[in-house]
Amino acid sequence: MPQIVKNALENSPLILFLAALVAAPFVISNQYVLQIMIFIGIYVILAQSLNLLNGYIGLIAIGHAGFYGIGAYTSAMLTVDMGAPFEVAFLAAGLVAGAFGWALGRPTLRLEGIYLALATLGFNIIVWLVLLNWNGFTGGPLGIKDIPRPSVFGWEVDTRIENYFFVLAVVAVVVFTMARLVNSRFGRALVAIREDQLAAAAMGVNVTRYKVQAFVISAFYAGIAGACYAHSVRYISPDSFTMLESFILLAILALGGSGNMIGPIVGAAILIAIPELFRAVSEYRMLLYGLVLIIVMQVRPQGLFGGHHYDLRLRLFDRRQRKAYRGDVFLPPEAM
Amino acid sequence: MKRFETSSIGRRGGLSAFAAAVLAVAASLAPNGSHAQETVKFGVSLPITGDMAEFGSFIRNGIELAIDQANAKGGLDGKMVELVIEDSRGDPREAVLVAERFVANDEILLEIGDFTSSASMAAAPVYEAAGMAQISPTASHPDFSGLGDNMVRVMAIQKAESQYLARWAVQDMGKQKIATIYTNDDWGVQASASFADEVKALGADVLTEEGITPGEKDFAAVVTKIKNMGPDAVFIAGHSAETGAILAQSRRARLQTQFLNSGAPRSPELLELAGSAAEGIAGVALYFPENPDPVSKAFTDAYVAKYEKTPNLFAALGYDAGLLALQGASAAGGKRSAVAPAIFQLSDFVGVTGGFDYTASRDPVKTYNRTVVRDGEWVMSE
């Protein structure tokens, strides 16, 4: 069998899945379902972003909605208040969030475990309070309205279907770059730090530098997710960036499983869809939401896809590297 | 190596299974065909679970009462009105999804909700694009009614209430040095700013405007700061919990002055929380259960008969939203896009929280009743 056919066959699940996502809006005419899928996409970006920290390098960050909010406000304020083009604002959302990630990461990443968790939680609360109280700058509790729809190099993203494709494209880029990143030398260094920080340092891995870099990259992606949210919903207020959002992200990783590429995607899809699927039981739907989490934690404490390395089958792009991690670092944790 | 291969096969199957699951879920969410229309459906988007569920349940009761009464009288032009109630948790993201759900359902004529301004405003573009009337009982954001041609406000705008209180304090009570404390949300910011502007316009002094974070419990710092400024009146824009705590802590700090309140109209919770510290506080009410006005009294009696508890302002606003929806729907003749224009043609809408002429403005201004606390009870002020 020729190699290219083999590759195509091996990647067929991924290709089929992508094809299904592209075809979905033409099959599903219901705008409500499309909107759910748009939100799932945004949470996939956020979960992938948090996964880099919580899953790959083993930092416990629990204030990710802070970066999400910074991204959303950056993009909204640049387009609404200063009339910046969407492309610039969108990128700036990631860059500004990344800059805050650096500013937070530099002093706090020498902290471990619960201390770092508290620092990130505090950061989330500070961001929320600033958004809420700095009335002259952020609009305070009144929020920002009339945020323009995305317009990417002449493509006016006006309809829901276009918005869906826009978010799908961003998700695809984020997931692809993230997969490449964690499969690289950089990604292996992160996992080495996660497994044993001292051993990694002894091998010449600059632990603090890698931590700060991972933090900045993660914040960048969260900022991008914020921009996607702001321009999809077109009205933002501090309500959307509270600790509750950070906890939803943690729940997504706990449910889907962290430390691999598939877990965050599945987790986001399930946790965002569940409250909508259970609408029939109105008052009890959040109860069922909690029940699902408890059951999964009982049956699979590592999360649905946790404990294994699922790589989105990017073999097509780099066979050599894949071979490298197949052999050593990426064995499932319980095998070590 | 063996292990990896095994998991590789499992993974391939898992991914396809997941793709299938996504499509199955999507299919199950699609509308299941429409059947003959003997009923008219109103969508209701409110916090039914979560932190704001209490407010949501009062509003929901008010709406249901209005609809039940209409159905008992033969419905809307012979058709029964049915409510489709969806939970938004007051969360903007969920309110958007609820909006999409309503808009996608051809049977739903109009929408009532949401409770918070931020949830209502996040959902507004969806309703506007679909030409569906969005009747919010409680959205107080100054820009809500201007977001489109289909946004209908039921609550009187806060500005009018704050200005009324400011005139009461300065002109009738003769207060000259006034401080304000407000909860830092979209409503509180407006309430305090409008109050302060009116006080200044009347020639009195505003000593300070102090924001407090919603949900906070300890206000000692703010109270002490204000006490040192020696105000002769303090305006509190806050709901029962915050206002009650501020009053109790002011008593402890020996801050004795005239308090005025907006946001906890005739609230029994406030009396419970503040105890004797609530004595003398002044506030205005759009709705109060003892109002002898026939419209208001009929609502109160019907509500008590149905739910066996006393209604509050939120229930009254829900009821008014229901009335407004019924009148709009009746005039629109079953056409979605005609509902909001029909409501804006109502020149003499009469509700429990007061009448309003929607042809003059989309931001209702209503008449207020002055109330104060005397001997541990809210009474009408002369």
Side-chain angles (χ1 to χ4, degrees):
Chain A
M1 203 188 293
Q3 189 61 38
I4 188 152
V5 177
K6 223 173 176 179
N7 280 339
L9 274 178
E10 284 205 322
N11 287 286
S12 60
L14 180 63
I15 293 168
L16 275 177
F17 182 59
L18 273 175
L21 284 179
V22 171
F26 301 106
V27 182
I28 308 161
S29 57
N30 192 330
Q31 304 280 298
Y32 162 62
V33 179
L34 273 189
Q35 187 64 47
I36 295 176
M37 292 172 84
I38 290 171
F39 282 141
I40 290 176
I42 291 169
Y43 278 82
V44 166
I45 304 173
L46 285 169
Q48 290 287 1
S49 146
L50 188 61
N51 186 28
L52 189 68
L53 300 181
N54 289 21
Y56 281 98
I57 198 169
L59 295 168
I60 308 299
I62 60 177
H64 228 55
F67 299 114
Y68 179 41
I70 287 172
Y73 267 82
T74 303
S75 187
M77 283 159 64
L78 279 176
T79 48
V80 174
D81 298 342
M82 296 169 204
F86 173 78
E87 300 87 346
V88 174
F90 186 77
L91 205 61
L95 293 177
V96 171
F100 273 94
W102 182 80
L104 175 68
R106 279 299 299 213
T108 58
L109 282 174
R110 288 164 204 277
L111 301 173
E112 299 284 333
I114 187 74
Y115 302 104
L116 178 68
L118 277 179
T120 54
L121 184 66
F123 173 73
N124 191 173
I125 296 172
I126 290 169
V127 169
W128 177 67
L129 285 174
V130 169
L131 295 181
L132 189 65
N133 288 295
W134 196 353
N135 295 340
F137 188 59
T138 65
L142 296 180
I144 300 176
K145 67 182 170 91
D146 293 334
I147 300 169
R149 292 193 173 91
S151 115
V152 194
F153 303 115
W155 175 35
E156 301 291 331
V157 184
D158 285 338
T159 63
R160 182 88 54 223
I161 289 187
E162 285 176 302
N163 196 359
Y164 171 84
F165 281 119
F166 170 73
V167 173
L168 182 64
V170 177
V171 171
V173 170
V174 166
V175 172
F176 175 72
T177 52
M178 199 64 99
R180 298 287 289 157
L181 192 69
V182 299
N183 285 352
S184 68
R185 182 176 169 278
F186 180 81
R188 286 200 295 281
L190 299 192
V191 174
I193 293 170
R194 177 187 77 193
E195 295 304 330
D196 192 329
Q197 200 166 310
L198 271 180
M203 294 296 288
V205 173
N206 186 337
V207 174
T208 304
R209 208 187 82 205
Y210 275 106
K211 279 185 179 175
V212 173
Q213 283 175 348
F215 214 75
V216 170
I217 293 168
S218 172
F220 175 87
Y221 282 125
I224 292 290
C228 285
Y229 176 81
H231 293 273
S232 296
V233 173
R234 302 177 56 217
Y235 170 79
I236 53 170
S237 65
D239 293 10
S240 300
F241 310 105
T242 58
M243 280 183 298
L244 193 68
E245 291 298 309
S246 297
F247 296 152
I248 289 175
L249 292 179
L250 289 171
I252 286 174
L253 285 192
L255 181 89
S258 54
N260 65 72
M261 296 304 294
I262 303 287
I265 300 176
V266 175
I270 294 178
L271 271 201
I272 300 304
I274 277 184
E276 297 303 317
L277 288 174
F278 290 156
R279 279 211 174 272
V281 290
S282 61
E283 281 97 335
Y284 303 102
R285 69 192 182 105
M286 297 318 282
L287 232 144
L288 288 176
Y289 179 93
L291 202 65
V292 167
L293 274 178
I294 291 172
I295 291 172
V296 171
M297 287 304 99
Q298 275 294 323
V299 179
R300 273 190 76 80
Q302 70 273 49
L304 293 175
F305 285 76
H308 294 280
H309 183 79
Y310 299 94
D311 70 335
L312 283 181
R313 304 195 60 76
L314 285 168
R315 171 188 292 214
L316 202 60
F317 304 102
D318 197 338
R319 217 167 304 130
R320 194 170 44 82
Q321 281 188 356
R322 191 180 144 86
K323 212 171 207 169
Y325 77 60
R326 186 193 280 192
D328 39 56
V329 251
F330 275 94
L331 278 177
E334 68 263 25
M336 296 222 165
Chain B
M1 212 55 173
K2 186 93 168 71
R3 179 192 198 109
F4 186 89
E5 290 308 328
T6 319
S7 83
S8 159
I9 292 160
R11 176 176 68 226
R12 198 176 304 162
L15 204 53
S16 321
F18 176 60
V22 165
L23 288 180
V25 164
S28 77
L29 286 168
N32 10 319
S34 57
H35 43 85
Q37 268 202 347
E38 311 96 353
T39 57
V40 180
K41 289 185 178 173
F42 292 178
V44 176
S45 164
L46 286 174
I48 305 293
T49 63
D51 293 347
M52 296 167 230
E54 179 71 14
F55 298 109
S57 95
F58 272 110
I59 298 172
R60 175 189 181 164
N61 286 348
I63 298 171
E64 283 179 339
L65 180 62
I67 303 304
D68 285 357
Q69 287 179 349
N71 283 341
K73 285 183 207 149
L76 195 71
D77 308 322
K79 290 177 189 164
M80 290 293 119
V81 179
E82 196 181 308
L83 293 177
V84 181
I85 300 170
E86 293 290 357
D87 176 24
S88 69
R89 293 193 294 133
D91 177 357
R93 181 167 55 79
E94 292 226 19
V96 170
L97 289 177
V98 170
E100 292 289 358
R101 215 177 145 85
F102 287 157
V103 167
N105 184 344
D106 291 336
E107 294 178 15
I108 291 180
L109 181 64
L110 55 85
E111 188 260 359
I112 304 175
D114 200 278
F115 171 65
T116 63
S117 291
S118 48
S120 305
M121 290 180 71
V126 179
Y127 292 115
E128 181 65 17
M132 187 188 267
Q134 182 190 20
I135 306 170
S136 174
T138 45
S140 53
H141 192 297
D143 295 336
F144 171 71
S145 54
L147 279 179
D149 296 327
N150 295 286
M151 281 71 234
V152 182
R153 205 198 280 279
V154 178
M155 186 141 123
I157 51 169
Q158 180 58 37
K159 194 175 173 186
E161 179 175 330
S162 288
Q163 288 174 342
Y164 184 91
L165 277 163
R167 285 195 296 273
W168 187 8
V170 177
Q171 292 177 331
D172 300 347
M173 295 178 180
K175 305 298 181 189
Q176 287 300 313
K177 294 189 293 177
I178 305 176
T180 77
I181 304 176
Y182 61 96
T183 52
N184 203 348
D185 53 27
D186 64 301
W187 166 82
V189 170
Q190 290 301 310
S192 177
S194 316
F195 180 89
D197 288 348
E198 187 72 6
V199 167
K200 285 178 208 152
L202 294 169
D205 289 333
V206 177
L207 299 175
T208 179
E209 290 182 64
E210 297 290 331
I212 54 171
T213 307
E216 209 172 298
K217 303 269 186 307
D218 181 7
F219 305 109
V222 170
V223 168
T224 310
K225 180 176 173 187
I226 288 178
K227 181 177 180 246
N228 291 339
M229 294 176 153
D232 53 16
V234 174
F235 169 61
I236 306 171
H239 296 295
S240 312
E242 294 95 2
T243 309
I246 290 170
L247 289 175
Q249 290 172 27
S250 298
R251 160 68 61 94
R252 237 173 285 146
R254 296 178 203 288
L255 167 60
Q256 281 188 335
T257 181
Q258 171 67 50
F259 286 98
L260 297 115
N261 166 267
S262 193
R266 297 183 59 83
S267 150
E269 294 96 323
L270 188 152
L271 297 180
E272 275 168 35
L273 284 165
S276 61
E279 201 63 21
I281 187 169
V284 294
L286 279 175
Y287 168 79
F288 60 99
E290 301 83 15
N291 193 339
D293 171 77
V295 179
S296 179
K297 190 166 185 326
F299 162 73
T300 309
D301 292 347
Y303 191 97
V304 172
K306 184 164 187 215
Y307 302 106
E308 291 174 344
K309 57 182 173 184
T310 314
N312 60 11
L313 174 67
F314 295 107
L317 287 168
Y319 184 80
D320 280 0
L323 290 183
L324 205 52
L326 286 165
Q327 293 190 19
S330 168
K335 195 161 160 259
R336 250 185 203 179
S337 58
V339 175
I343 288 173
F344 295 132
Q345 292 297 315
L346 296 173
S347 58
D348 55 349
F349 173 72
V350 177
V352 175
T353 59
F356 186 64
D357 176 2
Y358 276 95
T359 59
S361 162
R362 293 182 185 181
D363 294 320
V365 176
K366 296 177 177 174
T367 44
Y368 297 96
N369 303 289
R370 290 182 181 188
T371 60
V372 289
V373 175
R374 291 257 179 279
D375 303 322
E377 268 186 64
W378 285 101
V379 295
M380 298 289 291
S381 169
E382 56 295 330

